[in-house]
Coordinates of all heavy atoms in Angstrom, one line a residue:
M1 N 5.2 -51.8 -23.8 CA 5.8 -51.0 -22.6 C 6.5 -49.7 -23.2 O 6.3 -48.6 -22.6 CB 6.9 -52.0 -21.9 CG 7.5 -51.2 -20.7 SD 6.2 -51.1 -19.4 CE 7.1 -50.5 -18.1
R2 N 7.1 -49.9 -24.5 CA 7.7 -48.7 -25.0 C 6.5 -47.7 -25.4 O 6.9 -46.5 -25.4 CB 8.5 -49.2 -26.2 CG 9.3 -48.0 -26.8 CD 10.3 -48.6 -27.8 NE 11.2 -47.5 -28.2 CZ 11.7 -47.4 -29.4 NH1 11.5 -48.2 -30.2 NH2 12.5 -46.3 -29.5
K3 N 5.4 -48.2 -25.9 CA 4.4 -47.2 -26.3 C 3.9 -46.5 -25.1 O 3.5 -45.3 -25.1 CB 3.3 -47.9 -27.1 CG 3.8 -48.4 -28.5 CD 2.6 -49.0 -29.2 CE 3.1 -49.4 -30.5 NZ 2.0 -49.6 -31.5
L4 N 3.9 -47.2 -24.0 CA 3.4 -46.5 -22.8 C 4.3 -45.4 -22.3 O 3.9 -44.3 -22.0 CB 3.2 -47.5 -21.6 CG 2.8 -47.0 -20.3 CD1 1.4 -46.5 -20.5 CD2 2.8 -48.1 -19.3
K5 N 5.6 -45.6 -22.5 CA 6.6 -44.6 -22.1 C 6.4 -43.4 -23.0 O 6.5 -42.2 -22.7 CB 8.0 -45.2 -22.2 CG 8.3 -46.1 -21.0 CD 9.8 -46.5 -21.1 CE 10.1 -47.6 -19.9 NZ 11.5 -48.0 -20.0
Q6 N 6.3 -43.7 -24.3 CA 6.2 -42.6 -25.3 C 4.9 -41.8 -25.0 O 5.0 -40.6 -25.1 CB 6.1 -43.2 -26.8 CG 7.5 -43.7 -27.2 CD 7.4 -44.3 -28.5 OE1 6.2 -44.6 -29.0 NE2 8.5 -44.6 -29.3
A7 N 3.8 -42.5 -24.7 CA 2.6 -41.8 -24.4 C 2.8 -40.9 -23.1 O 2.2 -39.8 -23.1 CB 1.4 -42.8 -24.2
L8 N 3.4 -41.5 -22.2 CA 3.6 -40.6 -20.9 C 4.4 -39.4 -21.2 O 4.3 -38.3 -20.7 CB 4.2 -41.5 -19.8 CG 3.3 -42.5 -19.1 CD1 4.1 -43.3 -18.2 CD2 2.2 -41.8 -18.4
C9 N 5.5 -39.6 -22.0 CA 6.4 -38.4 -22.4 C 5.6 -37.3 -23.1 O 5.7 -36.2 -22.9 CB 7.5 -38.9 -23.2 SG 8.8 -39.8 -22.2
I10 N 4.8 -37.8 -24.1 CA 3.9 -36.9 -24.9 C 3.0 -36.1 -23.9 O 2.8 -34.9 -24.0 CB 3.2 -37.5 -26.0 CG1 4.3 -38.0 -27.0 CG2 2.2 -36.7 -26.6 CD1 3.7 -39.0 -28.1
L11 N 2.3 -36.9 -23.0 CA 1.5 -36.3 -22.0 C 2.1 -35.3 -21.2 O 1.6 -34.1 -21.0 CB 0.7 -37.4 -21.3 CG -0.3 -36.8 -20.2 CD1 -1.5 -36.2 -20.9 CD2 -0.8 -38.0 -19.3
M12 N 3.2 -35.6 -20.7 CA 4.1 -34.7 -19.8 C 4.4 -33.4 -20.7 O 4.4 -32.3 -20.1 CB 5.3 -35.3 -19.3 CG 4.9 -36.3 -18.2 SD 6.4 -37.2 -17.5 CE 7.6 -36.0 -17.3
A13 N 4.8 -33.6 -21.9 CA 5.2 -32.5 -22.7 C 4.0 -31.6 -23.0 O 4.1 -30.3 -22.9 CB 5.8 -32.8 -24.0
C14 N 2.9 -32.1 -23.2 CA 1.6 -31.4 -23.5 C 1.3 -30.6 -22.2 O 0.8 -29.4 -22.4 CB 0.5 -32.3 -23.8 SG 0.7 -32.9 -25.5
T15 N 1.4 -31.2 -21.1 CA 1.1 -30.5 -19.8 C 2.0 -29.3 -19.6 O 1.5 -28.3 -19.2 CB 1.2 -31.5 -18.7 OG1 0.3 -32.6 -18.9 CG2 0.8 -30.9 -17.4
M16 N 3.2 -29.6 -19.7 CA 4.3 -28.5 -19.5 C 4.2 -27.4 -20.5 O 4.4 -26.2 -20.3 CB 5.7 -29.1 -19.5 CG 5.9 -30.1 -18.4 SD 7.4 -30.8 -18.5 CE 8.1 -30.4 -17.0
L17 N 3.8 -27.7 -21.8 CA 3.8 -26.7 -22.8 C 2.6 -26.0 -23.1 O 2.4 -25.1 -24.0 CB 4.4 -27.3 -24.1 CG 5.8 -27.9 -24.0 CD1 6.2 -28.5 -25.3 CD2 6.8 -26.6 -23.7
S18 N 1.5 -26.4 -22.4 CA 0.2 -25.8 -22.7 C -0.3 -24.9 -21.7 O -1.5 -24.4 -21.7 CB -0.9 -27.0 -22.8 OG -1.0 -27.6 -21.6
S19 N 0.6 -24.4 -20.9 CA 0.2 -23.5 -19.7 C 0.2 -22.1 -20.2 O 1.4 -21.6 -20.4 CB 1.2 -23.7 -18.5 OG 1.1 -25.0 -18.0
C20 N -0.8 -21.5 -20.5 CA -0.9 -20.2 -21.1 C -0.2 -19.1 -20.4 O 0.6 -18.4 -21.0 CB -2.3 -19.8 -21.4 SG -3.1 -20.9 -22.5
A21 N -0.4 -19.0 -19.1 CA 0.4 -17.9 -18.4 C 1.8 -18.2 -18.2 O 2.6 -17.2 -18.2 CB -0.3 -17.9 -16.8
T22 N 2.3 -19.5 -18.1 CA 3.7 -19.7 -18.1 C 4.3 -19.4 -19.4 O 5.4 -18.9 -19.4 CB 3.9 -21.2 -17.7 OG1 3.2 -21.5 -16.5 CG2 5.3 -21.5 -17.6
L23 N 3.7 -19.7 -20.4 CA 4.3 -19.4 -21.8 C 4.2 -18.0 -22.2 O 5.2 -17.4 -22.8 CB 3.6 -20.3 -22.9 CG 3.8 -21.8 -22.8 CD1 3.1 -22.5 -23.9 CD2 5.3 -22.0 -23.0
F24 N 3.1 -17.4 -22.0 CA 2.8 -16.0 -22.5 C 2.8 -14.9 -21.5 O 2.6 -13.7 -21.9 CB 1.5 -16.0 -23.4 CG 1.6 -17.1 -24.5 CD1 0.6 -18.1 -24.4 CD2 2.4 -17.0 -25.6 CE1 0.7 -19.1 -25.4 CE2 2.4 -18.0 -26.5 CZ 1.5 -19.0 -26.4
G25 N 3.0 -15.2 -20.2 CA 2.8 -14.3 -19.3 C 4.1 -13.4 -18.9 O 4.0 -12.5 -18.1
G26 N 5.2 -13.7 -19.5 CA 6.4 -13.0 -19.3 C 7.1 -13.5 -18.0 O 6.8 -14.6 -17.5
K27 N 8.0 -12.7 -17.6 CA 8.9 -13.2 -16.4 C 8.2 -13.2 -15.2 O 7.4 -12.3 -14.9 CB 10.1 -12.2 -16.2 CG 11.1 -12.7 -15.4 CD 12.2 -11.6 -15.3 CE 13.4 -12.2 -14.4 NZ 13.3 -11.9 -13.1
V28 N 8.2 -14.3 -14.3 CA 7.5 -14.4 -13.2 C 8.3 -13.7 -12.1 O 9.5 -14.0 -11.9 CB 7.4 -15.9 -12.8 CG1 6.7 -16.0 -11.3 CG2 6.6 -16.6 -13.9
T29 N 7.6 -12.8 -11.4 CA 8.3 -11.9 -10.3 C 8.3 -12.7 -9.0 O 7.6 -13.6 -8.8 CB 7.6 -10.6 -10.3 OG1 6.2 -10.8 -9.8 CG2 7.6 -9.8 -11.6
E30 N 9.1 -12.0 -8.1 CA 9.1 -12.7 -6.7 C 7.8 -12.5 -6.1 O 7.3 -13.3 -5.3 CB 10.2 -12.0 -6.0 CG 10.6 -12.8 -4.7 CD 11.1 -14.1 -4.9 OE1 11.8 -14.3 -6.0 OE2 10.9 -15.0 -4.1
Y31 N 7.1 -11.4 -6.5 CA 5.7 -11.1 -5.9 C 4.7 -12.3 -6.3 O 3.9 -12.7 -5.4 CB 5.1 -9.8 -6.4 CG 3.8 -9.6 -6.1 CD1 3.4 -9.1 -4.8 CD2 2.8 -9.6 -7.0 CE1 2.2 -8.9 -4.5 CE2 1.4 -9.4 -6.6 CZ 1.1 -9.0 -5.4 OH -0.1 -8.8 -5.1
Q32 N 4.8 -12.7 -7.6 CA 4.0 -13.8 -8.0 C 4.3 -15.2 -7.3 O 3.4 -15.9 -7.1 CB 4.2 -13.9 -9.4 CG 3.4 -12.7 -10.3 CD 3.8 -12.7 -11.7 OE1 5.1 -12.6 -12.0 NE2 2.9 -13.0 -12.5
K33 N 5.5 -15.4 -7.0 CA 6.0 -16.7 -6.4 C 5.7 -16.7 -5.0 O 5.4 -17.9 -4.4 CB 7.6 -16.9 -6.5 CG 7.9 -17.0 -8.0 CD 9.4 -17.2 -8.0 CE 10.0 -17.2 -9.4 NZ 11.5 -17.3 -9.4
T34 N 5.7 -15.7 -4.2 CA 5.4 -15.6 -2.7 C 3.9 -15.6 -2.3 O 3.3 -14.8 -2.8 CB 6.3 -14.4 -2.2 OG1 7.6 -14.4 -2.6 CG2 6.3 -14.5 -0.7
R35 N 3.7 -16.5 -1.5 CA 2.2 -16.5 -0.9 C 2.1 -15.3 0.0 O 3.0 -15.0 0.9 CB 2.0 -17.7 -0.1 CG 1.8 -18.9 -1.0 CD 1.4 -20.1 -0.1 NE 1.1 -21.2 -1.0 CZ 0.7 -22.3 -0.5 NH1 0.4 -22.5 0.8 NH2 0.4 -23.4 -1.3
P36 N 1.0 -14.6 0.1 CA 0.7 -13.6 0.9 C 0.6 -14.0 2.4 O 0.0 -15.2 2.6 CB -0.6 -13.0 0.5 CG -1.2 -13.9 -0.4 CD -0.1 -14.9 -1.0
A37 N 1.1 -13.4 3.3 CA 1.1 -13.6 4.7 C -0.4 -13.4 5.3 O -1.2 -12.7 4.5 CB 2.1 -12.8 5.5
A38 N -0.6 -13.9 6.4 CA -2.0 -13.6 7.0 C -2.2 -12.2 7.2 O -1.4 -11.4 7.6 CB -2.1 -14.4 8.3
G39 N -3.4 -11.7 6.7 CA -3.7 -10.4 6.8 C -3.3 -9.5 5.6 O -3.9 -8.5 5.4
E40 N -2.6 -10.1 4.7 CA -2.2 -9.3 3.5 C -3.3 -9.7 2.4 O -3.8 -10.6 2.5 CB -0.8 -9.9 3.0 CG 0.3 -9.3 3.7 CD 1.6 -9.7 3.2 OE1 1.7 -10.4 2.1 OE2 2.6 -9.3 3.7
P41 N -3.4 -8.7 1.4 CA -4.5 -9.0 0.5 C -4.0 -10.1 -0.6 O -2.8 -10.4 -0.7 CB -4.5 -7.7 -0.4 CG -3.3 -7.0 -0.1 CD -2.8 -7.4 1.3
Q42 N -4.9 -10.8 -1.0 CA -4.7 -12.0 -1.9 C -4.2 -11.5 -3.2 O -4.5 -10.3 -3.7 CB -6.0 -12.9 -2.2 CG -6.4 -13.5 -0.9 CD -5.5 -14.5 -0.3 OE1 -5.0 -15.3 -1.1 NE2 -5.3 -14.4 0.9
R43 N -3.4 -12.3 -3.9 CA -3.0 -12.0 -5.3 C -4.1 -12.1 -6.3 O -5.0 -12.9 -6.2 CB -1.8 -12.8 -5.8 CG -0.6 -12.7 -4.8 CD 0.4 -13.7 -5.1 NE -0.1 -15.0 -4.6 CZ 0.7 -16.1 -4.6 NH1 1.8 -16.2 -5.1 NH2 0.1 -17.3 -4.2
E44 N -4.1 -11.2 -7.3 CA -5.2 -11.3 -8.4 C -4.7 -12.3 -9.5 O -3.6 -12.4 -9.8 CB -5.4 -9.9 -9.0 CG -6.0 -9.0 -8.1 CD -6.3 -7.6 -8.7 OE1 -6.7 -7.7 -9.9 OE2 -6.0 -6.5 -8.2
L45 N -5.7 -13.0 -10.0 CA -5.6 -14.0 -11.2 C -5.5 -13.3 -12.5 O -6.1 -12.3 -12.6 CB -6.6 -15.1 -11.2 CG -6.5 -16.1 -10.1 CD1 -7.7 -17.0 -10.3 CD2 -5.3 -16.9 -10.1
R46 N -4.8 -13.8 -13.5 CA -4.9 -13.4 -14.7 C -6.1 -14.2 -15.4 O -5.9 -15.3 -15.6 CB -3.7 -13.7 -15.6 CG -2.4 -12.9 -15.1 CD -1.2 -13.3 -15.9 NE -0.1 -12.4 -15.6 CZ 1.0 -12.6 -16.0 NH1 1.4 -13.6 -17.0 NH2 2.0 -11.8 -15.7
I47 N -7.2 -13.5 -15.5 CA -8.4 -14.2 -15.9 C -8.3 -14.7 -17.3 O -8.8 -15.8 -17.5 CB -9.6 -13.1 -15.8 CG1 -9.8 -12.7 -14.3 CG2 -10.9 -13.8 -16.3 CD1 -10.0 -13.8 -13.4
G48 N -7.7 -14.0 -18.2 CA -7.5 -14.5 -19.6 C -6.8 -15.8 -19.6 O -7.2 -16.8 -20.3
A49 N -5.7 -15.9 -18.9 CA -4.9 -17.1 -18.9 C -5.7 -18.2 -18.2 O -5.6 -19.5 -18.6 CB -3.6 -16.9 -18.2
F50 N -6.4 -17.9 -17.1 CA -7.1 -18.9 -16.4 C -8.2 -19.5 -17.3 O -8.4 -20.7 -17.4 CB -7.8 -18.2 -15.2 CG -8.6 -19.2 -14.3 CD1 -8.0 -20.0 -13.5 CD2 -10.0 -19.2 -14.4 CE1 -8.7 -20.9 -12.7 CE2 -10.7 -20.2 -13.6 CZ -10.1 -21.0 -12.8
I51 N -8.9 -18.7 -18.0 CA -10.0 -19.2 -18.9 C -9.4 -20.0 -20.1 O -9.9 -21.1 -20.4 CB -10.9 -18.1 -19.5 CG1 -11.7 -17.5 -18.3 CG2 -11.7 -18.5 -20.6 CD1 -12.4 -16.2 -18.6
A52 N -8.3 -19.5 -20.7 CA -7.6 -20.2 -21.7 C -7.1 -21.6 -21.2 O -7.2 -22.7 -22.0 CB -6.4 -19.5 -22.3
D53 N -6.5 -21.7 -20.0 CA -6.1 -23.0 -19.5 C -7.3 -23.9 -19.4 O -7.2 -25.1 -19.6 CB -5.5 -22.8 -18.1 CG -4.0 -22.4 -18.2 OD1 -3.5 -22.5 -19.3 OD2 -3.5 -22.0 -17.2
L54 N -8.4 -23.4 -18.9 CA -9.6 -24.2 -18.7 C -10.1 -24.8 -20.0 O -10.6 -26.0 -20.1 CB -10.7 -23.4 -18.0 CG -10.7 -23.2 -16.5 CD1 -11.8 -22.4 -16.0 CD2 -10.7 -24.5 -15.8
L55 N -10.2 -23.9 -21.1 CA -10.7 -24.3 -22.4 C -9.7 -25.2 -23.2 O -10.2 -26.1 -23.8 CB -11.1 -23.1 -23.2 CG -12.1 -22.3 -22.6 CD1 -12.4 -21.0 -23.6 CD2 -13.4 -23.1 -22.6
I56 N -8.5 -25.1 -23.2 CA -7.5 -25.8 -23.9 C -7.1 -27.0 -23.3 O -7.2 -28.1 -23.9 CB -6.2 -24.8 -24.2 CG1 -6.6 -23.7 -25.1 CG2 -5.1 -25.6 -25.0 CD1 -5.6 -22.5 -25.3
F57 N -6.5 -27.0 -22.0 CA -6.1 -28.1 -21.4 C -6.1 -27.9 -19.9 O -5.1 -27.3 -19.4 CB -4.6 -28.5 -22.0 CG -4.2 -29.9 -21.5 CD1 -4.8 -31.0 -21.9 CD2 -3.0 -30.0 -20.6 CE1 -4.3 -32.3 -21.5 CE2 -2.6 -31.2 -20.3 CZ -3.2 -32.3 -20.7
W58 N -7.2 -28.3 -19.2 CA -7.4 -27.9 -17.9 C -6.2 -28.3 -16.9 O -6.0 -27.7 -15.9 CB -8.8 -28.2 -17.3 CG -9.1 -29.6 -17.3 CD1 -9.7 -30.4 -18.2 CD2 -8.7 -30.6 -16.2 NE1 -9.7 -31.8 -17.9 CE2 -9.2 -31.9 -16.6 CE3 -8.1 -30.4 -15.0 CZ2 -9.0 -33.0 -15.8 CZ3 -7.9 -31.6 -14.2 CH2 -8.4 -32.8 -14.6
P59 N -5.6 -29.5 -17.0 CA -4.4 -29.9 -16.2 C -3.3 -28.8 -16.2 O -2.5 -28.8 -15.2 CB -4.0 -31.3 -16.6 CG -5.3 -31.8 -17.3 CD -5.9 -30.6 -17.9
S60 N -3.2 -28.0 -17.1 CA -2.2 -27.1 -17.2 C -2.4 -25.9 -16.1 O -1.4 -25.2 -15.9 CB -2.0 -26.4 -18.6 OG -3.2 -25.7 -18.9
L61 N -3.5 -25.9 -15.5 CA -3.7 -24.9 -14.4 C -2.7 -25.3 -13.2 O -2.3 -24.3 -12.6 CB -5.1 -25.0 -13.9 CG -6.1 -24.2 -14.6 CD1 -7.5 -24.5 -14.2 CD2 -5.9 -22.7 -14.6
A62 N -2.5 -26.4 -13.1 CA -1.6 -26.9 -12.0 C -0.1 -26.3 -12.2 O 0.5 -25.9 -11.3 CB -1.5 -28.4 -11.9
V63 N 0.3 -26.3 -13.5 CA 1.6 -25.8 -13.8 C 1.6 -24.2 -13.6 O 2.5 -23.7 -12.9 CB 2.0 -26.0 -15.3 CG1 3.3 -25.5 -15.7 CG2 2.0 -27.6 -15.5
D64 N 0.5 -23.6 -14.0 CA 0.6 -22.1 -13.8 C 0.4 -21.7 -12.4 O 1.1 -20.8 -12.0 CB -0.7 -21.6 -14.6 CG -0.4 -21.5 -16.1 OD1 0.8 -21.5 -16.5 OD2 -1.4 -21.2 -16.9
F65 N -0.3 -22.3 -11.5 CA -0.4 -22.1 -10.1 C 1.0 -22.5 -9.5 O 1.3 -21.8 -8.5 CB -1.6 -22.9 -9.5 CG -2.8 -22.2 -9.6 CD1 -3.8 -22.6 -10.5 CD2 -3.1 -21.1 -8.9 CE1 -5.0 -22.0 -10.6 CE2 -4.3 -20.4 -9.0 CZ -5.3 -20.8 -9.9
A66 N 1.5 -23.7 -9.8 CA 2.8 -24.0 -9.2 C 3.9 -23.0 -9.6 O 4.8 -22.7 -8.6 CB 3.2 -25.4 -9.7
T67 N 4.0 -22.4 -10.7 CA 5.0 -21.4 -11.0 C 4.6 -20.1 -10.6 O 5.5 -19.1 -10.5 CB 5.2 -21.4 -12.5 OG1 4.1 -21.0 -13.2 CG2 5.7 -22.7 -13.0
G68 N 3.4 -19.8 -10.3 CA 2.9 -18.5 -9.9 C 2.6 -17.6 -11.0 O 2.2 -16.4 -10.9
A69 N 2.7 -18.1 -12.3 CA 2.6 -17.3 -13.5 C 1.1 -16.9 -13.7 O 0.7 -16.0 -14.4 CB 3.1 -18.0 -14.7
I70 N 0.1 -17.7 -13.0 CA -1.3 -17.3 -13.1 C -1.7 -16.0 -12.5 O -2.6 -15.4 -12.7 CB -2.1 -18.6 -12.6 CG1 -3.5 -18.5 -13.1 CG2 -2.1 -18.6 -11.1 CD1 -3.7 -18.9 -14.6
Y71 N -0.8 -15.6 -11.5 CA -1.1 -14.4 -10.8 C -0.6 -13.1 -11.6 O 0.3 -13.2 -12.2 CB -0.5 -14.4 -9.3 CG -1.0 -15.6 -8.6 CD1 -0.2 -16.7 -8.3 CD2 -2.3 -15.6 -8.0 CE1 -0.6 -17.7 -7.6 CE2 -2.8 -16.7 -7.4 CZ -2.0 -17.7 -7.1 OH -2.4 -18.8 -6.4
K72 N -1.3 -12.0 -11.3 CA -0.9 -10.7 -12.0 C 0.3 -10.2 -11.2 O 0.5 -10.4 -10.0 CB -1.9 -9.7 -11.9 CG -3.1 -10.0 -12.7 CD -4.2 -8.8 -12.6 CE -5.4 -9.2 -13.4 NZ -6.5 -8.1 -13.3
P73 N 1.4 -9.6 -12.0 CA 2.4 -9.1 -11.4 C 2.0 -7.9 -10.5 O 1.0 -7.2 -10.8 CB 3.4 -8.6 -12.4 CG 2.7 -9.0 -13.7 CD 1.4 -9.6 -13.4
K74 N 2.8 -7.5 -9.5 CA 2.4 -6.3 -8.7 C 2.5 -5.1 -9.5 O 3.5 -4.9 -10.2 CB 3.4 -6.3 -7.5 CG 3.0 -5.3 -6.5 CD 4.0 -5.4 -5.3 CE 3.5 -4.5 -4.1 NZ 4.4 -4.6 -2.9
A75 N 1.4 -4.3 -9.3 CA 1.4 -3.0 -10.0 C 2.5 -2.0 -9.4 O 2.8 -2.1 -8.2 CB 0.1 -2.4 -10.0
A76 N 3.2 -1.3 -10.3 CA 4.1 -0.3 -9.9 C 3.5 0.8 -9.0 O 2.3 1.2 -9.2 CB 4.7 0.3 -11.1
A77 N 4.2 1.1 -8.0 CA 3.6 2.2 -7.0 C 3.5 3.5 -7.8 O 4.4 4.0 -8.4 CB 4.5 2.3 -5.9
S78 N 2.2 3.9 -7.8 CA 2.1 5.3 -8.5 C 2.3 6.5 -7.5 O 2.0 6.4 -6.3 CB 0.6 5.4 -8.9 OG -0.3 5.2 -7.9
K79 N 2.7 7.5 -8.1 CA 3.2 8.7 -7.2 C 2.1 9.8 -7.2 O 1.4 10.0 -8.0 CB 4.5 9.3 -7.8 CG 5.6 8.5 -7.5 CD 7.0 9.0 -8.1 CE 8.1 8.1 -7.8 NZ 9.3 8.6 -8.2

């Protein structure tokens, strides 16, 4: 039973620490956290982080999507 608990803890740590966009994407903005309303354009994905998550440890995609870190931050308004 103790080995099972240790294995679960290690699996959870791997899942939480292997999310590329969460670790290397910088601060998550409110724009990334908020779902677009009906009629608004969809948020763009960070393709590099998406592919890295798929190749390294695909369950980490759930962490990146849950935190919103997988989405690109909103571009600054140009004048």
Side-chain angles (χ1 to χ4, degrees):
M1 187 67 169
R2 186 165 190 217
K3 289 188 180 194
L4 179 63
K5 286 182 182 180
Q6 289 176 343
L8 285 174
C9 287
I10 291 171
L11 181 65
M12 286 176 44
C14 287
T15 302
M16 296 173 125
L17 297 176
S18 65
S19 304
C20 292
T22 302
L23 289 177
F24 305 113
K27 187 175 187 280
V28 177
T29 63
E30 197 61 37
Y31 172 78
Q32 290 169 290
K33 292 179 187 178
T34 308
R35 285 186 176 184
E40 288 184 356
Q42 296 294 313
R43 298 171 287 182
E44 292 184 41
L45 288 179
R46 292 180 176 179
I47 299 300
F50 182 78
I51 292 172
D53 280 344
L54 282 176
L55 295 176
I56 295 171
F57 189 67
W58 64 267
S60 63
L61 278 171
V63 175
D64 284 343
F65 277 105
T67 61
I70 197 77
Y71 300 109
K72 290 182 181 178
K74 189 174 185 176
S78 57
K79 293 182 181 181

